[in-house]
Amino acid sequence: MLKKIILLLFLSLISLYAIEEQNIQKVTDTKVREVLNILKDKTLSQKQKDAKNVRIIDDIFDFDIMSQISLGRKWKSLSNNEKARFSKAFEKKIKHSYLDKLRLYNNEKVIIKDLEKVKSNRITLETQVIGLDDTYKVIYLFYKKKHTNEWYIYDVELVGVSIIQTYRKQFSEFLQTKTIKQLIESL
Amino acid sequence: MLYTLYQKLILKYPFWVLTILISSILIFGINIQKLEIDASAETLLLNDDKDLAFSRTVAKRFQTNDLLILAYKPKQDLLSPESLQTLTRITNDLEQLPRVESVDSLINVPLFFSPIREMDDLINETRTLKSDDINLSMVKHEFLTSPLYKDSLVNKDFTISSIIIHLYQDPEYFTLLEERNRLLDKQKASLLTKEEKQELHDVSIAFKAHRDAQRDIDNQNITAIRALISKYQDDATFFLGGVQMISNDIVGFIKNDLLIYGSTLILLIILVLGFIFKKIRWVMLPILICALSVIAITSSLGYFGWEITVISSNFIALQLIITISIVLHLIVRYEELLTRYPRASSKRLILYTVLTKATPTTFAILTTIAGFSSLLYSHIYPVINLGWMMSAGITMSLVIAFIILPAVLMLLKKTPPVKQKRSMAFIPSLTAKIVLHDKKAIYIVTLLSIVFSITGASQLIVENSFINYFKKDTEIYKGMSIIDQELGGTTPLDVILTLSDKNSTPTSTASTQEETFDETDSFEEEFSSVEDQDQYWFTEEKIQIIKNVHHYLTDLAQVGEVQSFATLLATGKILNKNKNLDSIDLALIYKKLPQKYRDVILTPYVNIEHDQLRFSTRVIDSNEVLRRDALLKKVKDDLTQLIDPNVATVQLSNLMVLYNNMLQSLFHSQITMIGLVLLIVSLMFLILFRSLKLTLIALTVNVIPIALVFGFMGWLHIPLDIMTITIAAIAMGIGIDDTIHYIHRFKVEFEKDNRYYFSMHRTSTSIGNALYFTTLVIVIGFSILTLSNLIPTIYFGLLTMVVMIAALTSDMILLPKLLIVFKPFKRVK
């Protein structure tokens, strides 16, 4: 089960370009397949696979907003310099985690399901990862960026576990006794 | 008044007095059958211990069941077909027992690494030794290396495995207990209403009835397990252990001791009395008085529902000692008067005997009660009960002896006095000679005794090792030592971490970006509404704390098995290709884990609702360097250093803590109370003797034998435990009697001629006989306790013998010497 769950994680991090609302489903489907193809490609080394996949996720995941959410209200007390350093460290952490777990992929099938507009600026997209014994639900959470009207992924929920919420809780506990500087260093 | 009472009642109507008294005692004696023995763990706990309430909360919150551990040592290899077949059969048989909820053994525990599989495969199909295509060498490797099983399910040599018998929890017990305690607490704080009083009465009765019934069921369960084991003795060796076993076996030993020692002690006393006095009446009378006293006190205990516990199990022996001592003083005095006044009427002799002995004996009994009353200030029911039992018991003995002996003598014909053989009386006259001639020797011996006592006492340790309660050849000792040393320890100790609830994110300061301000706030609302969901509980911070604490506990030499959430993390790491599970993995596993697995691997160690973590350990009781109090303090201090107090607080729980609290409390209260008792006794001496000098002499003479006991305990490495710690109080109570009798007599003799030398000689050769006989009977009687299966009983016997001999020596040599040197009596013109 663990392996499959981990697989959900990496699939959740599949990148989508900043997209318009009507294209979310289609683009998601395309990009998932792109990543799966890269993973299946035996001619590529692990390093090459990692590099290609990073490129796919770079644009559609809004790492800045993910960083902000993960720090909660603490974010606002940070200096601009600290915010920049934290965002950079957090992005690196998420990508490392993604690449690490991507290696566990084992030919599971992915189906893109329904899209749901939760609020005017929030959309969720449900997908399913089908393994031999079980099917797991993965939900991509999109938000619409003001001014640009483009949609970005700000979180992914795997079988009811929000990735950003997991980090949020973790950072909150870390900062109870330690400083933001120590947090950045630990990342 | 006493004179009138004897003249007009006891000596006038001896037959009716005897008939009424004996028949009343015998009728009341039917209550003996209500007498109960309780050696459960509960009896050894402090009444008002906060840790007890906490331990009960922990047991409830983490759903920890009572368990018995059966060590299984087959003749063949552990994984041989024969061994596994026996194991399968015994596991099945055990599962059929009504008190048994489940049984874990090699045969049915889940195998995770034989071979390593995907986690969902593990959850979908639990592999055990019963599964097909099992690779035994892989399984052996798993048992020897798995964090779940190594050193607890199997020993290092892979020759012994443990069969863990989980017993059904008894929720009814805790429901009744909580209800009773709630009402008791309320009663302490304020007055109860009529209905509440009735409720308390009803619940107390229901609780006792339920507990008694449960105790019987537990006993039957252990008997059934033992019967089952005996069926398989040809194939393997078994050792049964566990906390419940300790109390079960202690009860067995106490019952045995009460029966054997009660009867053998009486037999020995008969022989010694026969040897000393050579008169049937002086054998039968003490036995009659002792028997009536014991019946009176035990039936009172039965009537009032007081139970005999480990601590109070020797009360019958103590009661016999003190009663014999009272009777012997009366007999010796009677014989002495009879020798001196052979023609005096029987009535006058008896009257003079009781009247001259009434004051010293009453004071002796009062000082003994003062000694035992020190036990009332402990916070442990059985110790308090022992104090009450003895105080009540010896008061009864005093009354019974002073009624029965004169009344019976009135009915018997006067016989010629006993002619003491020279050999019998040589000790009193020898001591008189020593007092006069060996001045230096007395001082040197006293000084050496003081040095011996101080150096010994400085080595005293306060410890309560259950394994050391039993002789090495007993089944329980063997079982406990195997489980202790080979299978992870015996005494349970839990470390509980309560995490701080300060996990809210800090408040914001001024924002610098207009756009992110709005966006972040809307996300904040979205995320903070779900942040307390259980799956997000498993953060890296917590994981690190869990690992640190687990690692710390595992490194302690005195701690055997350690189980916590870290055990699961270590197992998960192996399954995850040696990579640590991070908080995302754990959140996902938590969401997907079926309830049956949660109950086994999460519930006993993690309580998300109360933000608590439990580290379950077993302490190696037989570890000789184990100092329980020091270990508990060290664990608490070290963990408080290891964990930021803002993150979590540390509490220790379970039996190890509770027993230690009890012992420490007993130790401290005893130290305080010995001081207080000395003060009370001093006051009583002052009232009795009306002389400060005499009081100081009497105290000195008594402090030395008591100190000697502590000296012996220190030098012989006998720890102060729940049994031996009461020796001082008992020693003081018994030892002082001799001093009172001696000084009282010395005063009477001194008044005759105002000469210390002659007074001393007369006192030693008269009252000395009573002291000497009493000590002889007690020492011989107590020597039988050394045959007990319970080590504390053996120590109790030995130490009482030491006290009695030391007290006799001190009273017969040091006391007269000090009296002669300091001359405390005023000359009577």
Side-chain angles (χ1 to χ4, degrees):
Chain A
M1 186 190 80
L2 180 67
K3 199 170 133 184
K4 281 168 193 162
I5 287 171
I6 289 166
L7 171 68
L8 302 183
L9 178 68
F10 86 73
L11 288 174
S12 72
L13 297 174
I14 286 165
S15 173
L16 302 168
Y17 290 101
I19 35 179
E20 289 173 1
E21 188 180 332
Q22 64 273 24
N23 293 335
I24 286 178
Q25 223 164 345
K26 196 177 151 197
V27 175
T28 308
D29 189 49
T30 316
K31 294 301 163 190
V32 165
R33 267 157 237 307
E34 239 179 275
V35 171
L36 293 180
N37 286 335
I38 292 169
L39 292 175
K40 285 174 193 165
D41 190 346
K42 288 182 180 164
T43 62
L44 295 172
S45 70
Q46 192 58 51
K47 210 176 168 183
Q48 286 169 318
K49 284 181 185 176
D50 288 355
K52 278 180 174 248
N53 284 322
V54 165
R55 248 176 279 141
I56 295 173
I57 65 161
D58 255 351
D59 295 327
I60 191 61
F61 271 71
D62 189 339
F63 292 112
D64 276 346
I65 206 78
M66 285 171 142
S67 307
Q68 289 173 38
I69 304 168
S70 70
L71 271 189
R73 293 189 195 281
K74 179 78 183 173
W75 174 262
K76 290 177 184 171
S77 65
L78 263 54
S79 68
N80 285 344
N81 180 35
E82 283 172 328
K83 282 176 183 169
R85 281 171 52 222
F86 177 77
S87 289
K88 204 176 158 193
F90 185 69
E91 184 180 335
K92 206 175 156 193
K93 168 95 180 172
I94 273 217
K95 282 181 181 169
H96 176 266
S97 179
Y98 157 68
L99 292 173
D100 182 46
K101 281 154 192 187
L102 209 60
R103 292 183 191 117
L104 296 170
Y105 172 67
N106 199 18
N107 284 328
E108 282 84 357
K109 250 174 94 178
V110 181
I111 297 170
I112 306 293
K113 299 276 286 183
D114 302 327
L115 191 110
E116 190 188 343
K117 192 156 186 176
V118 189
K119 279 201 291 190
S120 62
N121 60 347
R122 296 281 196 280
I123 280 176
T124 59
L125 174 64
E126 189 186 324
T127 64
Q128 282 183 339
V129 178
I130 300 167
L132 275 176
D133 307 307
D134 219 340
T135 300
Y136 304 103
K137 192 158 81 174
V138 182
I139 301 171
Y140 296 90
L141 286 86
F142 292 86
Y143 87 103
K144 187 166 76 176
K145 203 164 188 170
K146 271 186 183 177
H147 312 306
T148 64
N149 280 339
E150 284 177 322
W151 292 81
Y152 289 88
I153 293 174
Y154 69 94
D155 191 14
V156 183
E157 252 184 50
L158 316 169
V159 286
V161 175
S162 150
I163 303 306
I164 297 301
Q165 187 66 271
T166 313
Y167 282 113
R168 235 174 97 86
K169 187 85 176 181
Q170 204 156 300
F171 296 161
S172 155
E173 277 190 12
F174 189 97
L175 291 172
Q176 267 182 51
T177 53
K178 299 183 190 87
T179 63
I180 189 77
K181 195 181 165 203
Q182 286 169 306
L183 177 60
I184 296 168
E185 278 163 15
S186 80
L187 289 173
Chain B
M1 195 188 88
L2 206 62
Y3 178 84
T4 320
L5 180 76
Y6 276 97
Q7 274 283 34
K8 297 200 169 164
L9 183 70
I10 300 171
L11 301 184
K12 197 171 182 185
Y13 309 106
F15 178 76
W16 290 111
V17 168
L18 274 179
T19 311
I20 292 168
L21 182 66
I22 293 175
S23 49
S24 321
I25 291 173
L26 291 180
I27 291 166
F28 189 60
I30 51 166
N31 289 303
I32 286 181
Q33 55 192 356
K34 292 185 194 160
L35 188 70
E36 288 176 70
I37 300 172
D38 186 5
S40 62
E42 290 276 322
T43 64
L44 301 177
L45 307 178
L46 289 174
N47 300 338
D48 46 6
D49 191 353
K50 282 180 188 153
D51 287 323
L52 175 60
F54 180 67
S55 291
R56 283 182 181 144
T57 308
V58 167
K60 219 169 165 184
R61 199 167 278 173
F62 292 91
Q63 292 173 22
T64 54
N65 281 13
D66 264 358
L67 45 88
L68 290 168
I69 303 168
L70 180 60
Y72 169 64
K73 191 180 182 185
K75 287 180 180 159
Q76 281 95 1
D77 186 84
L78 262 183
L79 294 179
S80 70
E82 296 82 8
S83 302
L84 292 179
Q85 202 187 8
T86 309
L87 197 54
T88 310
R89 277 163 50 212
I90 195 155
T91 304
N92 291 340
D93 286 352
L94 286 168
E95 279 171 340
Q96 305 305 314
L97 295 176
R99 270 287 278 147
V100 176
E101 187 179 353
S102 62
V103 179
D104 292 338
S105 69
L106 288 186
I107 212 81
N108 61 8
V109 292
L111 297 170
F112 296 113
F113 314 141
S114 308
I116 291 178
R117 294 176 296 155
E118 294 295 329
M119 214 172 272
D120 52 348
D121 289 345
L122 282 177
I123 290 172
N124 289 335
E125 187 223 343
T126 313
R127 275 169 80 84
T128 66
L129 260 174
K130 290 177 196 162
S131 306
D132 300 330
D133 66 334
I134 279 288
N135 180 332
L136 286 180
S137 61
M138 214 178 237
V139 170
K140 183 175 176 179
H141 184 255
E142 173 164 358
F143 283 135
L144 285 170
T145 56
S146 160
L148 287 167
Y149 306 135
K150 67 172 177 181
D151 301 335
S152 60
L153 192 70
V154 292
N155 67 338
K156 280 192 176 70
D157 303 334
F158 207 70
T159 50
I160 306 168
S161 88
S162 53
I163 301 171
I164 318 277
I165 306 165
H166 297 269
L167 304 171
Y168 276 111
Q169 246 191 357
D170 178 15
E172 174 87 8
Y173 178 88
F174 287 103
T175 311
L176 289 168
L177 183 75
E178 277 168 18
E179 182 57 15
R180 189 197 65 170
N181 289 353
R182 183 186 69 80
L183 288 163
L184 284 173
D185 288 345
K186 199 172 175 193
Q187 195 179 37
K188 270 184 211 163
S190 60
L191 281 175
L192 293 183
T193 62
K194 204 178 167 189
E195 291 76 31
E196 283 173 329
K197 274 183 190 165
Q198 185 58 41
E199 217 180 311
L200 176 60
H201 176 255
D202 294 346
V203 81
S204 300
I205 290 175
F207 173 69
K208 194 174 181 304
H210 178 80
R211 193 205 53 192
D212 291 349
Q214 212 55 35
R215 200 188 294 157
D216 282 344
I217 296 170
D218 288 343
N219 279 344
Q220 284 164 17
N221 191 48
I222 287 173
T223 312
I225 294 174
R226 284 198 161 136
L228 225 159
I229 296 168
S230 62
K231 264 175 36 184
Y232 298 96
Q233 287 292 11
D234 293 342
D235 308 314
T237 318
F238 294 94
F239 305 98
L240 189 58
V243 175
Q244 211 184 71
M245 277 292 300
I246 299 173
S247 53
N248 184 76
D249 280 25
I250 290 178
V251 170
F253 290 144
I254 290 175
K255 277 184 180 165
N256 199 32
D257 285 358
L258 281 177
L259 194 74
I260 293 180
Y261 303 132
S263 50
T264 321
L265 194 62
I266 287 185
L267 194 73
L268 266 177
I269 289 173
I270 291 174
L271 289 174
V272 178
L273 291 174
F275 179 74
I276 295 172
F277 296 114
K278 298 187 174 55
K279 270 188 187 176
I280 289 183
R281 65 174 61 182
W282 296 146
V283 175
M284 297 313 288
L285 250 175
I287 296 300
L288 175 70
I289 293 167
C290 283
L292 289 172
S293 303
V294 169
I295 292 170
I297 184 67
T298 44
S299 45
S300 305
L301 297 181
Y303 181 77
F304 291 108
W306 282 9
E307 290 159 330
I308 297 179
T309 62
V310 186
I311 297 170
S312 52
S313 63
N314 292 316
F315 91 95
I316 289 187
L318 281 169
Q319 172 92 8
L320 286 175
I321 287 182
I322 296 165
T323 316
I324 277 285
S325 148
I326 297 170
V327 181
L328 281 179
H329 277 288
L330 286 173
I331 295 174
V332 172
R333 181 64 175 154
Y334 177 85
E335 283 285 323
E336 190 192 339
L337 290 171
L338 184 65
T339 315
R340 203 181 296 169
Y341 312 107
R343 290 184 190 165
S345 74
S346 190
K347 191 175 179 181
R348 280 190 70 80
L349 283 173
I350 297 165
L351 189 65
Y352 199 52
T353 302
V354 287
L355 291 180
T356 51
K357 289 315 286 181
T359 311
T361 312
T362 307
F363 269 91
I365 291 300
L366 284 177
T367 49
T368 310
I369 290 174
F372 281 113
S373 61
S374 73
L375 304 176
L376 305 182
Y377 291 85
S378 76
H379 297 267
I380 304 153
Y381 271 130
V383 177
I384 298 170
N385 282 358
L386 178 66
W388 282 117
M389 278 179 197
M390 289 313 304
S391 302
I394 57 181
T395 309
M396 284 184 193
S397 295
L398 179 73
V399 175
I400 292 171
F402 269 77
I403 295 175
I404 299 282
L405 191 123
V408 171
L409 285 183
M410 275 305 287
L411 297 174
L412 296 175
K413 270 187 184 171
K414 203 172 79 174
T415 54
V418 178
K419 282 184 186 166
Q420 293 292 345
K421 282 185 185 170
R422 232 192 110 62
S423 61
M424 285 301 296
F426 88 100
I427 289 186
S429 49
L430 176 72
T431 55
K433 274 183 198 161
I434 294 172
V435 172
L436 284 176
H437 303 298
D438 292 329
K439 195 174 169 182
K440 270 188 191 167
I442 295 171
Y443 294 142
I444 289 168
V445 171
T446 307
L447 190 70
L448 286 177
S449 302
I450 293 169
V451 172
F452 174 83
S453 305
I454 293 171
T455 49
S458 65
Q459 299 175 52
L460 264 181
I461 50 164
V462 183
E463 280 303 326
N464 198 53
S465 162
F466 278 111
I467 200 162
N468 291 331
Y469 266 31
F470 306 101
K471 279 184 177 172
K472 291 191 173 166
D473 57 351
T474 53
E475 200 192 327
I476 177 120
Y477 184 93
K478 287 179 197 162
M480 282 177 75
S481 93
I482 292 273
I483 292 162
D484 210 40
Q485 285 156 17
E486 304 267 354
L487 299 168
T490 42
T491 318
L493 168 68
D494 286 351
V495 175
I496 307 294
L497 296 192
T498 307
L499 297 154
S500 160
D501 56 1
K502 287 188 282 176
N503 54 4
S504 57
T505 46
T507 50
S508 63
T509 54
S511 169
T512 49
Q513 288 172 359
E514 189 62 31
E515 188 199 51
T516 50
F517 179 82
D518 292 339
E519 214 103 64
T520 318
D521 276 356
S522 89
F523 283 122
E524 196 56 36
E525 200 180 305
E526 183 182 329
F527 279 85
S528 57
S529 65
V530 290
E531 72 181 0
D532 287 332
Q533 285 180 358
D534 289 354
Q535 66 268 33
Y536 303 118
W537 194 85
F538 303 90
T539 60
E540 297 285 346
E541 287 291 292
K542 290 189 186 103
I543 293 170
Q544 203 46 54
I545 290 172
I546 293 169
K547 283 183 181 169
N548 289 348
V549 173
H550 188 99
H551 185 69
Y552 166 79
L553 293 169
T554 315
D555 275 358
L556 290 171
Q558 301 94 327
V559 172
E561 189 192 23
V562 181
Q563 291 284 341
S564 74
F565 188 65
T567 322
L568 174 73
L569 292 173
T571 312
K573 185 182 173 184
I574 299 170
L575 294 170
N576 194 27
K577 299 198 166 47
N578 242 9
K579 267 190 227 160
N580 284 318
L581 298 175
D582 61 23
S583 50
I584 299 173
D585 302 329
L586 290 169
L588 294 168
I589 291 171
Y590 181 83
K591 282 295 272 185
K592 290 297 290 176
L593 201 66
Q595 189 62 40
K596 64 168 181 172
Y597 283 96
R598 253 185 225 194
D599 288 347
V600 176
I601 57 178
L602 269 179
T603 314
Y605 310 113
V606 174
N607 188 290
I608 296 175
E609 188 193 343
H610 296 95
D611 263 337
Q612 279 183 329
L613 291 162
R614 173 173 170 262
F615 298 80
S616 155
T617 76
R618 280 192 271 142
V619 173
I620 301 169
D621 207 41
S622 57
N623 186 322
E624 283 186 7
V625 295
L626 173 63
R627 296 288 169 266
R628 287 157 184 80
D629 190 50
L631 175 70
L632 292 173
K633 281 188 182 134
K634 179 183 157 55
V635 170
K636 181 112 196 236
D637 289 350
D638 288 353
L639 288 178
T640 311
Q641 296 279 322
L642 192 73
I643 305 162
D644 187 328
N646 291 318
V647 174
T649 49
V650 183
Q651 279 167 288
L652 304 182
S653 155
N654 220 329
L655 283 182
M656 168 97 175
V657 177
L658 302 180
Y659 287 144
N660 189 63
N661 285 358
M662 176 269 297
L663 194 61
Q664 295 304 322
S665 155
L666 192 57
F667 179 67
H668 292 298
S669 67
Q670 279 308 95
I671 297 296
T672 321
M673 283 320 296
I674 284 174
L676 193 61
V677 168
L678 276 175
L679 193 73
I680 295 169
V681 167
S682 311
L683 286 173
M684 291 172 78
F685 280 161
L686 272 175
I687 295 167
L688 182 67
F689 305 133
R690 295 169 205 280
S691 154
L692 182 66
K693 214 190 246 183
L694 209 47
T695 301
L696 290 174
I697 290 171
L699 280 178
T700 310
V701 170
N702 278 289
V703 166
I704 290 172
I706 294 164
L708 261 177
V709 174
F710 289 125
F712 268 105
M713 288 176 73
W715 280 109
L716 296 175
H717 305 296
I718 300 172
L720 275 170
D721 61 19
I722 52 168
M723 281 290 288
T724 50
I725 213 160
T726 59
I727 296 270
I730 293 164
M732 195 176 306
I734 300 172
I736 286 172
D737 292 6
D738 287 355
T739 314
I740 293 176
H741 282 292
Y742 193 96
I743 294 180
H744 190 267
R745 185 58 178 268
F746 198 103
K747 199 179 171 190
V748 172
E749 297 298 333
F750 185 76
E751 281 165 3
K752 289 179 185 165
D753 58 6
N754 290 335
R755 295 180 71 177
Y756 277 92
Y757 168 76
F758 292 113
S759 304
M760 184 278 288
H761 203 273
R762 287 195 300 271
T763 309
S764 291
T765 49
S766 56
I767 192 82
N769 275 325
L771 304 188
Y772 164 52
F773 293 153
T774 317
T775 309
L776 188 69
V777 172
I778 292 169
V779 168
I780 291 175
F782 264 72
S783 63
I784 198 136
L785 291 187
T786 55
L787 300 173
S788 171
N789 273 324
L790 269 181
I791 302 283
T793 306
I794 297 176
Y795 285 151
F796 184 82
L798 284 173
L799 292 171
T800 313
M801 284 159 72
V802 168
V803 173
M804 291 313 298
I805 294 169
L808 178 74
T809 316
S810 187
D811 284 319
M812 295 289 285
I813 296 174
L814 185 61
L815 177 59
K817 187 80 229 173
L818 292 177
L819 290 176
I820 291 173
V821 171
F822 292 103
K823 301 186 169 42
F825 297 108
K826 283 177 189 155
R827 288 175 174 273
V828 182
K829 288 175 184 172

